[in-house]
Amino acid sequence: MLTTALAGLRAHRLRLLLTFVAIVLGVGFVAGTFVLNDTVQAGFAQRVTADAGKVDVVVLPGEGGGELPEELLERLRALPGVSEAQGLVRGSAPVLGKDGKTAGDAPTTAVSVVRGRLDRTAVVAGAGPGTDDGAAVLDENTAEAQGFRIGDTITVLDHEGDAHRFRLVGLVDTGVDQMLAYTGAVGFTVDTARRMTGAGGYAEIDVAGAAPGLERAVAAAAGPAYRVRTGAQLADELAAAAGANTRLVMLGLFMFGAVAMLVAALVIHNTFTILAAQRTREMALLRCIGATRGQVFGSLLLESAAVGLLASVAGVVTGYGLAALTLTVLASLDAPLPTDAPIALTPLAASGGLAVGLAVTVGAALLPARSATRVPPVAALRDHVGEPAFRAGALRWSFAALLLVAGLGATAVGVFALRPGQEVSLVVVMAGGVLTFLALLVLGPVLVRPLGAFAGWVPRRLSGVPGRLAVDNAARNPKRAATTSVALTVGVTLMTLISVVTVSTRASLTSKLDEQFPIDFLLAAQTGEAVVPRSVAARLRGRPELASVTQVREVRAKVGGERLDVGTFSGPVQPYVVAGSMAGFRAGRAALDERTAERLGVRVGDAVPLETEQAGTVSLTVAALLDGSRSTLPPVTVSARPFDAYFGAVPDSRVMVAVRDGVAPERARAAVDAAAEPYPQVRVSSSTEVRGQFEETLDMLVMVISGLLGLAVLISLFGIANALSLSVHERTRESALLRSLGLTRAQLRHMLTVEALVLSLIGALIGVVLGLGFGWAAMRALLDGAVVEVPVAQIAVFVVLSGAAGALAAVLPARRAARSSIVAALAHT
Amino acid sequence: MTLTETPAPPAVVARALTKVYGEGDARVQALRGVDVSFATGAFTAIMGPSGSGKSTLMHCLAGLDTATSGSVRVGDVELTGLSDRRLTLLRRERIGFVFQSFNLLPSLTAEQNIRLPLDIAGRQADETLFDRVVETVGLRDRLAHRPSELSGGQQQRVAVARALISKPQVIFADEPTGNLDSRSGAEILSFLRACVRELGQTIVMVTHDPVAASYAGRVVFLRDGELVTEVSGPTPETVSDTLVRLEA
């Protein structure tokens, strides 16, 4: 039987080629993710190991955070066996950009650059600050973004907001430190760093020394309040921390890989079903001459295993290439990832890819192989193998109904019964989605005819006989048509779902902001700290260009035993009251965000104690609960005058400005900028800018996700090409008959193209309906009162692209069909 | 009877037709310079032992295959050197086919199958002709059936109706009774003969069955790619005798 199986492979080489490609793509994606993950993790490990190798023992603050005192450093320096000990300073010190405002989205982190063997700074240009207290180094990205070059003078704010000027002497690489990569880094001498950040102590003390048992000696000297690690232990911890973020991304990639493999499985299943059907007589002949059912079954499985193995090996190699390509692209984009580690194909990655590919291929071939065993030996003697008739049996109907009821039921529960915004609601809705999809998979053969008639309505009318025949042919073998189309459905469903969710998220958030009150400009510090002087709002109120100015100020204070943001507002805010009332809001009253109230366990009318700075502990009566998701107010809000009495004249945390109608945006902007100009920390952002950035981010996300899902679509196209070329093969004589009756080659090609178009449109239509339905459900589960918007244009593009791609998949099979000789095809039996 | 009537020009004429398959050792000369003409309004059978080249001849005459050398004319059109597209259009306009098996598209009804050539050509059916053809082949109550619901004889009658509907210059029939029982076969053959007599249809039939050939007005015999003899007004016996002589 082995010979038979291998001969089968050779005979259907071409037929299996497309299946092969589908497996290669799926396995390539999975294996590529493995390789990428391994390489990046290895890179992290390599970097931190190189770094930490310079350090023998590290002292870090205890679990609760805090700083390491100067006195500890002195004590460690005095320990026998310690050749050197250095304290590292770390804290915020916002660098000002050339516009005089704090640079970037978060305050720059100041670090101390020590000298000697404990220096771990990677200077990539210029030099470190050395002993020059007036010198500074910047990380490359910040320098590039702000346009600073070595020799420039940069301005940095200290912890009190005062500006200091430094000479830029060098550029550094932040390496794998995710925090520094995000905030940017500015490096000073230890003294300057302490002065700028106002740090009383150190974030880390590094110790070098050769004495045995140094770690224990240091731990004994430091005491139990601090964590003491060896250099190697530190390296492991850092690598793990740095890798955690990447691991999440990799998990996401694996999910896309799973989707790709699912689609590949559908394609494989289809191919083997068709192969088995085409070889009915061959199978029957084998049975006639004495092969058992088990042998027939085994030979088909063996065939699938051989294909799966070969394709998986090719897939692993492809994955390796894909990972290398991705790393090159990442490196050229300056991604904060180590891209320089040698690309590693670990045994785990290789065997993982192989196992997935093999399991999916053989698994997908199981059912077709089983149905091949049902061929009676007498079939070998029959002259003509008829069209596979399809009738949906009671079993199919009841199974589909069961799945559909379960799927729609779960979805309804997720949308209507569970509270929106909880993880469980989304999970339930998604589970409902999967069940519904399975129901459609079972029902597919039933749906194909009506949907084909619908999708084929236009071609049927436009292109005469070829069009009509094509539409009929598309649904001629309903089972095959369904599996072929559904493979495309997977990709289209997910793409539609993602675009509905993103467009709706955008619409929901914008509509919430707009509803609350129209903000045109927001003035706030990077950190949201209360640093906007009240005079700014006062000046803005005097400007005729502006319609309204709202101030919000917050402090951290203890409320009912928990540290929370307590604040107040002045200006035209209409809070969303869920319970109670804001009428007569005055001293002794508080409005609580709904969630906060839940956490504190209080309701409207209850009293909560507030520890103030200047008025001792006061008791507040809860007057109203607010909808936190729609509120720009602090979790605990009191009225303005009592707030000053409790906490003093705290500056504003943020000032929100609405422009008077009819004022040119540039004029309004100039007025707002002028008021904020003297204060470097007060950044002005316009809501259109913020919205623009938000939308850009969302668009980017959609693009990336669609790109990844594109792989699933690509695989399903191979499925369409495969199914079509098999249909062409089966209908060789039919095509020849049509050609002899006067169908031109062009008409024949056209006919097959329309058939592919109809198949892909069926898949796309189911996908769009599922995607819309579950996009809506997901939105409702994600967000209370979500506005669901349908991105009609995007979805139209998906459908048109699916159709076009389907037609493209038909090019080669159609060409082969049109080329074949009529005489030879007629003789073919 | 008057003799002033000028005979119509032949429907199909082949001159010095050769066809070679393969190269080197695998080279097969299927036709070795065949000269033959088929009169308009006549029912001609092409006969010969297996491998004599009768199917190849028919394929070349019908524009399904191109000859290696020589010329074929259908009516006033010279087939030699025509592009595939022109050949296709010629088949569409002037030639009808009846094959041994697999004559019909399984997904179409009998009526759709009959109208197929006209639909492909984008032509309107001549409804009087359609009614007459359907009546003659006796398929009135079977028009809505699909091929799988028809008997072999009925399927073949649909195929003949399809060949007739586009009023072709010539119908080529390739072993039209090869898959039928003798009663159905006789029915189809009588019907073909009726088409020639009553409608003036030209029919060229390839067959290896002497009984089938005897329905024709003239039988031409091929052997090893050459036209060797012909019989006019054949009976099953004269055809068999000729065949036996040829194979001897």
Side-chain angles (χ1 to χ4, degrees):
Chain A
M1 285 315 276
L2 180 68
T3 338
T4 323
L6 295 182
L9 276 186
R10 274 197 298 278
H12 299 93
R13 243 184 325 223
L14 211 65
R15 202 98 317 135
L16 289 167
L17 182 71
L18 291 165
T19 319
F20 185 83
V21 175
I23 305 170
V24 167
L25 286 177
V27 171
F29 196 87
V30 172
T33 310
F34 270 123
V35 172
L36 196 61
N37 187 37
D38 288 345
T39 309
V40 168
Q41 302 293 351
F44 277 129
Q46 193 180 319
R47 291 264 191 111
V48 292
T49 312
D51 262 9
K54 297 176 177 170
V55 182
D56 294 310
V57 178
V58 183
V59 183
L60 296 166
E63 299 295 342
E67 291 183 327
L68 305 164
E70 178 73 39
E71 165 270 328
L72 176 62
L73 178 61
E74 296 306 330
R75 252 192 298 143
L76 293 179
R77 278 187 174 143
L79 274 185
V82 170
S83 58
E84 203 181 336
Q86 294 280 7
L88 300 187
V89 179
R90 191 176 263 221
S92 303
V95 172
L96 298 192
K98 288 196 165 157
D99 60 354
K101 295 286 180 186
T102 46
D105 292 329
T108 325
T109 302
V111 295
S112 58
V113 180
V114 300
R115 287 173 306 128
R117 66 162 282 203
L118 286 174
D119 177 18
R120 277 155 47 193
T121 321
V123 177
V124 289
T131 54
D132 184 352
D133 286 342
V137 293
L138 266 184
D139 71 283
E140 289 173 289
N141 292 338
T142 308
E144 196 189 336
Q146 299 299 325
F148 290 127
R149 271 187 260 160
I150 292 176
D152 286 356
T153 300
I154 59 170
T155 308
V156 186
L157 298 183
D158 66 15
H159 61 106
E160 290 185 318
D162 294 331
H164 300 265
R165 294 158 75 78
F166 295 92
R167 203 158 41 77
L168 185 60
V169 296
L171 301 181
V172 298
D173 180 4
T174 52
V176 299
D177 191 319
Q178 304 288 312
M179 178 183 169
L180 292 189
Y182 172 62
T183 64
V186 55
F188 304 111
T189 60
V190 179
D191 288 344
T192 308
R194 290 184 68 170
R195 210 176 62 239
M196 292 297 290
T197 58
Y202 302 103
E204 176 183 329
I205 293 175
D206 295 346
V207 180
L214 184 66
E215 186 206 352
R216 255 172 290 133
V218 170
Y226 305 108
R227 288 181 294 151
V228 177
R229 300 278 184 273
T230 62
Q233 285 170 339
L234 179 71
D236 289 346
E237 282 180 19
L238 286 178
N245 290 330
T246 358
R247 227 161 275 138
L248 203 65
V249 175
M250 296 301 164
L251 198 67
L253 284 178
F254 275 121
M255 303 238 325
F256 286 109
V259 170
M261 285 313 291
L262 169 70
V263 176
L266 287 170
V267 170
I268 297 162
H269 170 82
N270 220 10
T271 309
F272 277 98
T273 307
I274 299 164
L275 284 182
Q278 280 185 345
R279 284 151 67 190
T280 304
R281 286 178 78 177
E282 195 180 309
M283 297 295 152
L285 186 65
L286 284 174
R287 300 270 283 117
C288 273
I289 59 176
T292 63
R293 289 196 168 192
Q295 280 172 314
V296 170
F297 183 73
S299 95
L300 266 177
L301 273 202
L302 194 66
E303 207 173 305
S304 73
V307 177
L309 191 68
L310 281 177
S312 302
V313 169
V316 168
V317 173
T318 309
Y320 184 82
L322 278 179
L325 190 70
T326 313
L327 284 170
T328 315
V329 171
L330 285 177
S332 71
L333 291 177
D334 262 338
L337 285 175
T339 50
D340 47 358
I343 299 170
L345 185 63
T346 61
L348 183 72
S351 54
L354 286 182
V356 167
L358 201 56
V360 167
T361 314
V362 176
L366 275 179
L367 277 180
R370 204 180 60 127
S371 60
T373 62
R374 299 214 177 121
V375 176
V378 71
L381 310 173
R382 280 190 206 135
D383 183 43
H384 183 64
V385 183
E387 287 277 305
F390 174 79
R391 263 191 60 240
L395 190 67
R396 184 178 289 270
W397 280 113
S398 40
F399 196 44
L402 208 67
L403 281 169
L404 204 61
V405 167
L408 294 181
T411 312
V413 167
V415 171
F416 299 110
L418 295 172
R419 244 181 82 173
Q422 287 175 301
E423 215 168 281
V424 60
S425 330
L426 190 63
V427 169
V428 168
V429 164
M430 287 300 128
V434 171
L435 288 174
T436 312
F437 178 77
L438 289 178
L440 286 183
L441 199 60
V442 175
L443 271 187
V446 185
L447 294 174
V448 155
R449 255 180 221 283
L451 280 176
F454 177 69
W457 196 81
V458 173
R460 190 185 265 278
R461 264 146 201 83
L462 281 189
S463 49
V465 181
R468 240 174 45 210
L469 286 174
V471 175
D472 287 344
N473 284 340
R476 204 150 127 190
N477 184 335
K479 269 190 178 173
R480 181 192 306 172
T483 321
T484 310
S485 307
V486 163
L488 183 64
T489 300
V490 177
V492 175
T493 303
L494 292 175
M495 280 190 175
T496 309
L497 189 139
I498 295 293
S499 65
V500 168
V501 168
T502 43
V503 170
S504 302
T505 306
R506 181 182 314 178
S508 303
L509 294 188
T510 331
S511 83
K512 278 186 179 175
L513 288 177
D514 288 346
E515 266 175 54
Q516 184 78 19
F517 56 90
I519 306 176
D520 293 308
F521 294 104
L522 173 72
L523 290 84
Q526 283 167 327
T527 51
E529 278 176 86
V531 294
V532 186
R534 293 191 183 186
S535 59
V536 172
R539 262 187 83 182
L540 289 172
R541 287 220 167 83
R543 299 301 304 224
E545 294 92 341
L546 308 178
S548 75
V549 176
T550 304
Q551 293 159 272
V552 175
R553 56 190 79 103
E554 299 169 319
V555 295
R556 295 288 280 184
K558 268 200 170 167
V559 182
E562 291 211 38
R563 282 192 77 79
L564 295 171
D565 282 331
V566 179
T568 187
F569 67 96
S570 65
V573 179
Q574 285 303 321
Y576 272 91
V577 177
V578 180
S581 156
M582 291 293 280
F585 197 59
R586 54 173 194 273
R589 299 282 170 92
L592 264 61
D593 167 82
E594 218 181 344
R595 295 255 158 85
T596 313
E598 210 171 285
R599 239 169 72 195
L600 294 174
V602 295
R603 277 182 287 178
V604 173
D606 289 356
V608 283
L610 165 69
E611 284 178 28
T612 71
E613 278 164 24
Q614 301 184 357
T617 300
V618 295
S619 175
L620 299 174
T621 310
V622 178
L625 298 187
L626 307 180
D627 180 348
S629 65
R630 304 195 200 189
S631 181
T632 53
L633 295 181
V636 180
T637 305
V638 297
S639 71
R641 212 159 298 142
F643 183 84
D644 286 2
Y646 300 155
F647 299 103
V650 179
D652 292 330
S653 304
R654 48 187 185 273
V655 176
M656 291 164 283
V657 177
V659 177
R660 197 175 292 285
D661 284 344
V663 173
E666 310 82 57
R667 270 186 58 214
R669 173 99 208 192
V672 176
D673 278 346
E677 202 270 321
Y679 312 103
Q681 281 171 289
V682 179
R683 286 156 55 95
V684 177
S685 42
S686 82
S687 60
T688 40
E689 274 170 29
V690 170
R691 247 169 239 178
Q693 280 169 10
F694 178 61
E695 285 180 11
E696 244 171 58
T697 315
L698 274 181
D699 287 344
M700 189 74 165
L701 195 70
V702 173
M703 262 173 56
V704 169
I705 294 180
S706 303
L708 291 170
L709 289 175
L711 181 73
V713 172
L714 184 67
I715 294 178
S716 57
L717 291 183
F718 280 105
I720 291 181
N722 210 358
L724 205 64
S725 68
L726 291 158
S727 301
V728 165
H729 177 80
E730 281 177 353
R731 297 205 297 260
T732 308
R733 288 213 288 169
E734 208 174 307
S735 301
L737 176 64
L738 282 167
R739 292 267 293 125
S740 71
L741 292 180
L743 199 74
T744 60
R745 283 196 167 131
Q747 280 177 311
L748 186 64
R749 276 199 302 268
H750 178 76
M751 187 175 103
L752 290 162
T753 308
V754 170
E755 184 175 341
L757 183 82
V758 169
L759 277 178
S760 55
L761 283 182
I762 293 173
L765 285 177
I766 303 180
V768 165
V769 170
L770 273 180
L772 283 179
F774 286 91
W776 170 82
M779 257 339 268
R780 295 296 300 260
L782 274 171
L783 213 62
D784 193 11
V787 181
V788 178
E789 241 178 50
V790 176
V792 178
Q794 266 182 45
I795 290 173
V797 169
F798 291 156
V799 174
V800 170
L801 281 184
S802 305
L808 192 70
V811 168
L812 283 180
R815 260 178 56 179
R816 262 184 55 201
R819 267 198 202 149
S820 69
S821 136
I822 304 173
V823 175
L826 281 172
H828 180 282
T829 40
Chain B
M1 210 191 224
T2 60
L3 294 170
T4 51
E5 191 182 334
T6 46
V12 182
V13 181
R15 288 281 164 258
L17 206 59
T18 65
K19 176 73 185 177
V20 180
Y21 293 112
E23 278 174 22
D25 286 346
R27 190 181 146 98
V28 175
Q29 186 142 21
L31 296 178
R32 306 164 182 262
V34 175
D35 288 288
V36 68
S37 76
F38 300 93
T40 301
F43 186 3
T44 314
I46 304 178
M47 285 207 82
S50 301
S52 60
K54 52 187 191 299
S55 283
T56 306
L57 176 62
M58 193 207 90
H59 291 151
C60 290
L61 295 176
L64 289 174
D65 204 351
T66 46
T68 309
S69 69
S71 90
V72 175
R73 267 186 32 216
V74 172
D76 51 359
V77 180
E78 173 62 54
L79 264 55
T80 318
L82 283 189
S83 67
D84 176 77
R85 193 180 151 69
R86 297 302 303 263
L87 276 179
T88 304
L89 293 181
L90 177 99
R91 286 199 301 271
R92 199 190 260 187
E93 302 293 327
R94 305 200 174 196
I95 300 175
F97 289 100
V98 179
F99 298 109
Q100 176 176 3
S101 66
F102 207 82
N103 254 317
L104 308 177
L105 286 196
S107 57
L108 300 184
T109 62
E111 174 164 0
Q112 285 170 330
N113 264 296
I114 295 175
R115 291 180 187 270
L116 190 59
L118 296 175
D119 284 348
I120 289 175
R123 267 160 51 193
Q124 283 299 315
D126 175 344
E127 290 304 326
T128 3
L129 179 65
F130 178 82
D131 284 338
R132 216 168 116 208
V133 167
V134 168
E135 214 53 63
T136 328
V137 295
L139 286 167
R140 180 61 69 193
D141 55 340
R142 292 267 176 239
L143 284 180
H145 289 59
R146 282 179 205 275
S148 55
E149 299 158 335
L150 300 175
S151 71
Q154 285 170 333
Q155 289 188 31
Q156 212 58 337
R157 279 190 272 154
V158 172
V160 175
R162 184 192 59 208
L164 287 169
I165 198 74
S166 52
K167 292 182 278 185
Q169 202 145 22
V170 54
I171 291 178
F172 288 101
D174 189 359
E175 306 273 10
T177 57
N179 271 3
L180 300 180
D181 59 71
S182 57
R183 231 193 82 216
S184 307
E187 217 176 274
I188 288 291
L189 290 165
S190 316
F191 179 63
L192 287 177
R193 191 165 57 188
C195 289
V196 174
R197 283 192 188 149
E198 287 158 28
L199 305 174
Q201 180 65 55
T202 311
I203 297 180
V204 177
M205 172 175 72
V206 170
T207 182
H208 65 270
D209 174 9
V211 176
S214 69
Y215 281 80
R218 165 180 171 234
V219 184
V220 298
F221 291 86
L222 275 176
R223 189 181 59 189
D224 298 333
E226 281 171 305
L227 201 66
V228 282
T229 181
E230 62 172 83
V231 173
S232 286
T235 63
E237 292 72 29
T238 53
V239 174
S240 302
D241 291 349
T242 315
L243 266 186
V244 170
R245 260 203 338 271
L246 284 180
E247 296 197 31

